[in-house]
Amino acid sequence: MKYYAKVIEINNDVDEEVLLYFGEVSIYCFITHCPYEIIKGNIYLVEVELSFLDDEIIETQPEGDLSITRKGDTFGYEIRGFKIDDKIFANGLVFSDEIYNQEYGYINHEYVLIKPDRVSVSFL
């Protein structure tokens, strides 16, 4: 999905790491594409997607909080959201991928937990 995000922090040690603020949540993202220099404090149009090194796993959860929680100092996150078709809604963001519907179509209109290895971002 495409969003406007504010650059909060640029990691000087890891070129691909950037902290973005999406209005309700800040997320450390892995930059997959950036055709220009980004500047701290500026707002950019970005496309966000979840990336997995292994298989995606979506687990149903009891009703509960929607949250996006970073796992330590890694790019990995635990996202507790609400799944509708090919979309997962959490903290004002929507993560969309056709595989969520193809592989997990039996989970629909339910609270879920998904653990991406990173949240990837492309600057448009």
Side-chain angles (χ1 to χ4, degrees):
M1 299 291 292
K2 295 178 183 176
Y3 296 96
Y4 283 99
K6 182 176 184 177
V7 175
I8 302 299
E9 181 180 309
I10 301 169
N11 189 326
N12 294 326
D13 296 325
V14 180
D15 291 337
E16 297 86 7
E17 183 179 278
V18 64
L19 177 61
L20 297 177
Y21 179 66
F22 292 93
E24 290 187 26
V25 65
S26 295
I27 299 176
Y28 283 91
C29 298
F30 183 87
I31 301 171
T32 57
H33 178 73
C34 186
Y36 47 82
E37 181 182 355
I38 56 175
I39 299 169
K40 182 179 175 179
N42 284 2
I43 296 172
Y44 298 93
L45 179 63
V46 296
E47 186 167 18
V48 179
E49 63 181 31
L50 303 180
S51 299
F52 300 87
L53 300 178
D54 295 317
D55 293 334
E56 304 88 2
I57 298 176
I58 298 175
E59 303 170 355
T60 59
Q61 297 290 297
E63 287 187 32
D65 297 330
L66 302 180
S67 64
I68 300 174
T69 307
R70 188 176 184 197
K71 293 193 285 186
D73 288 336
T74 70
F75 285 110
Y77 277 84
E78 285 191 356
I79 299 173
R80 296 180 189 279
F82 193 80
K83 182 182 173 297
I84 300 174
D85 299 327
D86 64 344
K87 295 174 179 57
I88 297 174
F89 299 82
N91 287 70
L93 295 177
V94 179
F95 301 99
S96 180
D97 193 321
E98 189 57 39
I99 198 151
Y100 303 156
N101 208 26
Q102 292 172 350
E103 298 288 325
Y104 298 95
Y106 60 93
I107 301 173
N108 205 17
H109 296 271
E110 295 185 56
Y111 288 92
V112 295
L113 170 65
I114 188 167
K115 298 177 184 178
D117 293 301
R118 64 186 183 202
V119 177
S120 298
V121 65
S122 295
F123 284 79
L124 305 175

